[in-house]
Amino acid sequence: MTRSTMSSLVFKLIFLSLFCSLLVSSSDSNDDGRKIYIVYMGSKLEDTASAHLYHRAMLEEVVGSTFAPESVIYTYKRSFNGFAVKLTEEEALKIAAKEGVVSVFPSEKNHLHTTRSWDFLGISQNVPRVKQVESNIVVGVFDSGIWPENPSFNDDGFGPAPANWRGTCQASTNFRCNRKIIGARAYRSSTLPPGDVRSPRDTDGHGTHTASTVAGVLVSQASLYGLGVGTARGGVPPARIAVYKICWSDGCSDADILAAFDDAIADGVDIISLSVGGKVPQPYLYNSIAIGSFHAMKRGILTSNSAGNNGPKSFTVTSLSPWLPTVAASSSDRKFVTQVLLGNGNTYQGVSINTFDMRNQYPLIYAGNAPSIGFNSSTSRYCYEDSVDPNLVRGKILLCDSTFGPTVFASFGGAAGVLMQSNTRDHASSYPLPASVLDPAGGNNIKRYMSSTRAPTATIFKSTVVRDTSAPVVVSFSSRGPNYVTHDILKPDSTAPGVEILAAWPPVAPISGVRDSRSALYNIISGTSMSCPHVTAIAVHIKTFYPSWSPAAIKSALMTTASPMNARFNSDAEFAYGSGHVNPLKAVDPGLVYDASESDYVKFLCGEGYTTAMVRSTTGDNSACTSGNIGRVWDLNYPSFALSISRSQTANQSFRRTLTNVVSGASTYRASISAPQGLSISVNPSVLSFNGIGDQKSFTLTVRGTVSQAIVSASLVWSDGSHNVRSPITVYVLG
Ligand SMILES: *[C@@H]1O[C@H](CO)[C@@H](O)[C@H](O)[C@H]1NC(C)=O
Ligand SMILES: *[C@@H]1O[C@H](CO)[C@@H](O)[C@H](O)[C@H]1NC(C)=O
């Protein structure tokens, strides 16, 4: 055994055992103690036809005579090499030690994380488009499927699928593609949960919503029961949609995600939208999204990925790969509010998406005075599951001291309405009954009113729209940095609208996510899942102007033209929004880009401690982690700068970058730095002259000094007078 395979083995075993212990509860487990594992073997074989024989020989060697061919769930061979197979932990460890195996990891469950937002972003219906080119772009939407009959996917005026499209439509009695939805496949590696349909059809709503946000056609008078009425449209209405259904009612498994990447890359999608993520950060070559998007990147396909909905705590972002844009969610200028009128004539403004119109006053009851048997006021006041007596609240408006999950509503289903309280009211949700979320001060006023009268009453009005002049602000639930795996790569990369987005919806999917009497073709929901497809669409828009650009160049254009934002909290800043709020109008003319190719990411992976053997398998060429090829993280040609230091440390770090000119003619750019006191940032050279498209110039940025806060924000702008190429510089204290 050579040294490199030895250390590679150690590396593999450490991560494998780490995951087995950390995540065992949520993996796709089986009755016989076997679980589904991904065996990732890097780039695709020359001879894809015999891939399964090759995998089988290896399995027979490890599993022995008991090997059952049906334990192989997927063979990945069209775009990379590997398989998903049911194994015991012991067998998984043995396979991890095999030559040619890059990584072995259990298939975990990932989770799913209008269109006014396009006007807010400055993309009017009349924005200049290269419509003919846009119509040849195929967006791969990896999600919960699609409801093809929704008017947003009407194919009137669309020609046949682009000539180079190689995908298929898994049509069935209940599913047909059209000239707008030109491909659809469904992936399910384990038993189907009860109620799910094995078809690309979406019964959840999420996939229909995200697909229409990217590429829905114009639909006038779209609304949710009159709320948010207007013309619904995606960011790039002429683009085509290819559906890869990877998410079911119990989540989205790694084995299925990789199967979708394997097909989508080979099918010829131009871009991938993935509003899905895991719960915990994972190293790059042990993560289905990182691996899949790496192979997509190799083929020039950008994958746009949501940051996650686990904020506002630090280190919650789980989309960490430098080769994809990670998208946070922020508000737009439209906000839904819901007025509450008390019997004494006082009104309070709450937050919710309330389509119901109560019309009359109803008796009010405080949940603290309505405990069910076995509970007392100290729990029922928060309306915890089953804590409220349904007989006491029937026909009344219930006042609770908190907000709670949708499943709770079933336990007091007979209530006429519900008033909740929260300090965090930066996004509105839907409920299966009239509801409004008040701030605690409003809640206290209502309690005072209730104790002042024998028969307190209230009514909850249908929601109305107000203008939110504070927008854009990153919403509390959006996952925050720092980056857990690579501290000195800033994540998330940017933010886009993800709060209260109106987009297409299946008529069978519940509006509020739980049993709901309503049905609609458009719904208003929030999440980084909603912001990710905005960035996908902007990336398509950029690609129509610059078809040959690499994923890194597109990502750079998105980031360097983003509008700077301000921290709401000291600890937040770039860890909430990265480079800032995406600006589609500027993104199509960035002036300069920080480009990067596969070899740059290979250097980066070598610098991250991956071995030659692992990196070679992944790339399929002879790139190796030899001395000249081990990249310093600070030199990856990234469009932002991050530096972590310890509390006692003084910052002293240089970063190397290369800019590529993307505009014809000669130009001269000057660097300007904005930095807080105590931090000295220099750029050398500080003037760069370019001669035409493709000309490249390098510079070094050096950060020195001390930081007085947990996170300090600075920035670098290269300007030629008309283009401002901006990068955030973030220095933070780790630990
Ligand atoms: C209410 O119930 C909780 C939990 O069962 C218990 O800890 C608490 O002592 C009870 N409070 C009263 C006032 O009975
Ligand atoms: C900063 O780092 C450079 C290069 O490693 C080194 O030469 C220099 O002495 C350092 N400066 C300080 C003040 O530590």
Side-chain angles (χ1 to χ4, degrees), residues 632 650-654 702-705:
R632 301 188 324 151
T650 303
N652 179 19
Q653 186 59 58
S654 66
T702 307
V703 177
R704 290 208 181 91

PDB file of all heavy atoms in Angstrom, residues 632 650-654 702-705, ligand 2:
ATOM      1  N   ARG A 632      -3.588  27.257  -1.804  1.00  0.00           N
ATOM      2  CA  ARG A 632      -3.961  27.897  -0.542  1.00  0.00           C
ATOM      3  C   ARG A 632      -5.405  28.364  -0.716  1.00  0.00           C
ATOM      4  O   ARG A 632      -5.763  28.895  -1.764  1.00  0.00           O
ATOM      5  CB  ARG A 632      -3.076  29.113  -0.263  1.00  0.00           C
ATOM      6  CG  ARG A 632      -1.593  28.833  -0.169  1.00  0.00           C
ATOM      7  CD  ARG A 632      -0.844  30.101   0.307  1.00  0.00           C
ATOM      8  NE  ARG A 632      -1.424  31.341  -0.215  1.00  0.00           N
ATOM      9  CZ  ARG A 632      -1.372  32.501   0.395  1.00  0.00           C
ATOM     10  NH1 ARG A 632      -0.756  32.623   1.576  1.00  0.00           N
ATOM     11  NH2 ARG A 632      -1.910  33.577  -0.141  1.00  0.00           N
ATOM     12  N   THR A 650      -3.433  38.645  15.236  1.00  0.00           N
ATOM     13  CA  THR A 650      -3.504  39.829  14.391  1.00  0.00           C
ATOM     14  C   THR A 650      -3.638  39.346  12.954  1.00  0.00           C
ATOM     15  O   THR A 650      -2.965  38.403  12.561  1.00  0.00           O
ATOM     16  CB  THR A 650      -2.203  40.654  14.534  1.00  0.00           C
ATOM     17  OG1 THR A 650      -2.060  40.974  15.909  1.00  0.00           O
ATOM     18  CG2 THR A 650      -2.263  41.918  13.720  1.00  0.00           C
ATOM     19  N   ALA A 651      -4.519  39.972  12.199  1.00  0.00           N
ATOM     20  CA  ALA A 651      -4.690  39.553  10.803  1.00  0.00           C
ATOM     21  C   ALA A 651      -3.452  39.927   9.997  1.00  0.00           C
ATOM     22  O   ALA A 651      -2.929  41.043  10.129  1.00  0.00           O
ATOM     23  CB  ALA A 651      -5.935  40.220  10.217  1.00  0.00           C
ATOM     24  N   ASN A 652      -2.993  38.995   9.206  1.00  0.00           N
ATOM     25  CA  ASN A 652      -1.876  39.247   8.288  1.00  0.00           C
ATOM     26  C   ASN A 652      -1.957  38.202   7.198  1.00  0.00           C
ATOM     27  O   ASN A 652      -1.373  37.142   7.282  1.00  0.00           O
ATOM     28  CB  ASN A 652      -0.536  39.145   9.026  1.00  0.00           C
ATOM     29  CG  ASN A 652       0.639  39.373   8.091  1.00  0.00           C
ATOM     30  OD1 ASN A 652       0.477  39.936   7.007  1.00  0.00           O
ATOM     31  ND2 ASN A 652       1.828  38.914   8.499  1.00  0.00           N
ATOM     32  N   GLN A 653      -2.734  38.477   6.159  1.00  0.00           N
ATOM     33  CA  GLN A 653      -2.984  37.458   5.147  1.00  0.00           C
ATOM     34  C   GLN A 653      -3.042  38.063   3.753  1.00  0.00           C
ATOM     35  O   GLN A 653      -3.669  39.092   3.547  1.00  0.00           O
ATOM     36  CB  GLN A 653      -4.332  36.756   5.435  1.00  0.00           C
ATOM     37  CG  GLN A 653      -4.623  35.589   4.548  1.00  0.00           C
ATOM     38  CD  GLN A 653      -3.551  34.514   4.665  1.00  0.00           C
ATOM     39  OE1 GLN A 653      -3.301  34.006   5.758  1.00  0.00           O
ATOM     40  NE2 GLN A 653      -2.892  34.217   3.559  1.00  0.00           N
ATOM     41  N   SER A 654      -2.375  37.399   2.817  1.00  0.00           N
ATOM     42  CA  SER A 654      -2.470  37.841   1.427  1.00  0.00           C
ATOM     43  C   SER A 654      -3.390  36.910   0.644  1.00  0.00           C
ATOM     44  O   SER A 654      -3.520  35.727   0.969  1.00  0.00           O
ATOM     45  CB  SER A 654      -1.088  37.865   0.786  1.00  0.00           C
ATOM     46  OG  SER A 654      -0.600  36.551   0.690  1.00  0.00           O
ATOM     47  N   THR A 702      -3.861  42.302   0.469  1.00  0.00           N
ATOM     48  CA  THR A 702      -3.304  41.939   1.776  1.00  0.00           C
ATOM     49  C   THR A 702      -4.117  42.595   2.887  1.00  0.00           C
ATOM     50  O   THR A 702      -4.423  43.786   2.813  1.00  0.00           O
ATOM     51  CB  THR A 702      -1.825  42.374   1.874  1.00  0.00           C
ATOM     52  OG1 THR A 702      -1.139  41.834   0.745  1.00  0.00           O
ATOM     53  CG2 THR A 702      -1.178  41.851   3.138  1.00  0.00           C
ATOM     54  N   VAL A 703      -4.465  41.805   3.858  1.00  0.00           N
ATOM     55  CA  VAL A 703      -5.259  42.292   4.993  1.00  0.00           C
ATOM     56  C   VAL A 703      -4.392  42.210   6.236  1.00  0.00           C
ATOM     57  O   VAL A 703      -3.852  41.142   6.556  1.00  0.00           O
ATOM     58  CB  VAL A 703      -6.522  41.414   5.194  1.00  0.00           C
ATOM     59  CG1 VAL A 703      -7.310  41.875   6.414  1.00  0.00           C
ATOM     60  CG2 VAL A 703      -7.402  41.433   3.957  1.00  0.00           C
ATOM     61  N   ARG A 704      -4.215  43.345   6.914  1.00  0.00           N
ATOM     62  CA  ARG A 704      -3.435  43.356   8.153  1.00  0.00           C
ATOM     63  C   ARG A 704      -4.179  44.156   9.216  1.00  0.00           C
ATOM     64  O   ARG A 704      -4.900  45.101   8.893  1.00  0.00           O
ATOM     65  CB  ARG A 704      -2.066  44.022   7.928  1.00  0.00           C
ATOM     66  CG  ARG A 704      -1.137  43.218   7.076  1.00  0.00           C
ATOM     67  CD  ARG A 704       0.323  43.511   7.417  1.00  0.00           C
ATOM     68  NE  ARG A 704       1.175  42.728   6.542  1.00  0.00           N
ATOM     69  CZ  ARG A 704       1.648  43.157   5.362  1.00  0.00           C
ATOM     70  NH1 ARG A 704       1.393  44.385   4.950  1.00  0.00           N
ATOM     71  NH2 ARG A 704       2.385  42.369   4.619  1.00  0.00           N
ATOM     72  N   GLY A 705      -3.961  43.779  10.469  1.00  0.00           N
ATOM     73  CA  GLY A 705      -4.516  44.594  11.548  1.00  0.00           C
ATOM     74  C   GLY A 705      -5.271  43.767  12.567  1.00  0.00           C
ATOM     75  O   GLY A 705      -5.176  42.540  12.601  1.00  0.00           O
TER      76      GLY A 705
HETATM   77  C1  LIG B   2       2.953  39.186   7.568  1.00  0.00           C
HETATM   78  O1  LIG B   2       3.183  38.035   6.759  1.00  0.00           O
HETATM   79  C2  LIG B   2       4.279  38.185   5.890  1.00  0.00           C
HETATM   80  C3  LIG B   2       4.302  37.006   4.948  1.00  0.00           C
HETATM   81  O2  LIG B   2       4.050  35.812   5.625  1.00  0.00           O
HETATM   82  C4  LIG B   2       5.560  38.323   6.726  1.00  0.00           C
HETATM   83  O3  LIG B   2       6.673  38.477   5.877  1.00  0.00           O
HETATM   84  C5  LIG B   2       5.403  39.540   7.620  1.00  0.00           C
HETATM   85  O4  LIG B   2       6.523  39.647   8.478  1.00  0.00           O
HETATM   86  C6  LIG B   2       4.148  39.474   8.454  1.00  0.00           C
HETATM   87  N1  LIG B   2       3.947  40.753   9.125  1.00  0.00           N
HETATM   88  C7  LIG B   2       3.614  40.832  10.402  1.00  0.00           C
HETATM   89  C8  LIG B   2       3.427  42.206  10.952  1.00  0.00           C
HETATM   90  O5  LIG B   2       3.469  39.852  11.113  1.00  0.00           O
END
